[in-house]
Amino acid sequence: MSRSLVKRVAPYLAGRIRENHRLLNFSSASALKEASSSSSSSQSESSSIDVVHLSDNCIRRMKELQSSEPEKKLLRLGVETGGCSGFQYVFELDNRTNPDDRVFEKNGVKLVVDNVSYDFVKGATVDYVEELIRAAFVVAENPAAVGGCSCKSSFMVKQ
């Protein structure tokens, strides 16, 4: 019975994987085009739709984490294929930036987003939530997303 289930589900999953790769490749190409047309990566972001915002809870939690570390950490936000909705957010604490990163700073806390992931999170708000079942950094609002799962760790992209 499990083999027949695999045969029925495999084409669907293969289609989803192809679609996710297509979307990532499209976003990657547009991110590279935007980076090459930009005169400076350190240029100040004037429009709020181009900025990735940090909530007060996110800033508070990052300052708590930084106070317990000898070296000041950065919050890194990335987007990967996967999750129950097609794409998922990945948060990491990092101590360095890469040449293709975009850095957003508020009250001494830095959020780092790589150029490919940036197209997926432009105008988004990063928050820190403490719930009964978990405490985590989440993307609370994302104008590029049309839906996602209830845990706010995965999303679908507007087309």
Side-chain angles (χ1 to χ4, degrees), residues 31-156:
L32 289 174
K33 182 179 174 186
E34 182 179 315
S36 66
S37 68
S38 172
S39 62
S40 170
S41 64
S42 65
Q43 178 181 0
S44 171
E45 308 289 332
S46 60
S47 174
S48 68
I49 192 75
D50 293 339
V51 175
V52 180
H53 305 277
L54 300 172
S55 73
D56 292 338
N57 282 340
C58 177
I59 293 169
R60 179 189 51 77
R61 181 61 180 146
M62 277 302 295
K63 286 188 175 196
E64 289 171 1
L65 292 171
Q66 289 173 345
S67 69
S68 66
E69 295 284 330
E71 186 177 334
K72 205 170 193 182
K73 295 286 186 178
L74 311 168
L75 181 61
R76 179 173 292 280
L77 168 59
V79 174
E80 297 178 346
T81 57
C84 44
S85 298
F87 294 96
Q88 61 189 1
Y89 301 111
V90 179
F91 288 96
E92 297 176 324
L93 293 178
D94 203 344
N95 56 3
R96 63 180 176 83
T97 60
N98 298 319
D100 69 332
D101 285 338
R102 297 193 181 225
V103 180
F104 304 94
E105 185 173 359
K106 183 177 176 186
N107 297 340
V109 172
K110 292 182 181 179
L111 173 74
V112 179
V113 181
D114 65 88
N115 237 354
V116 174
S117 298
Y118 174 69
D119 279 345
F120 292 99
V121 296
K122 268 194 271 193
T125 301
V126 176
D127 195 9
Y128 181 77
V129 295
E130 295 180 16
E131 301 169 337
L132 190 58
I133 58 171
R134 73 177 180 151
F137 291 102
V138 296
V139 175
E141 298 172 19
N142 186 353
V146 291
C149 62
S150 61
C151 69
K152 296 190 185 252
S153 65
S154 71
F155 66 101
M156 292 180 285

Side-chain angles (χ1 to χ4, degrees), residues 16-31:
R16 290 283 307 256
I17 290 170
R18 278 193 302 275
E19 178 67 9
N20 288 344
H21 282 285
R22 183 189 68 76
L23 288 170
L24 276 176
N25 287 337
F26 173 76
S27 274
S28 178
S30 66

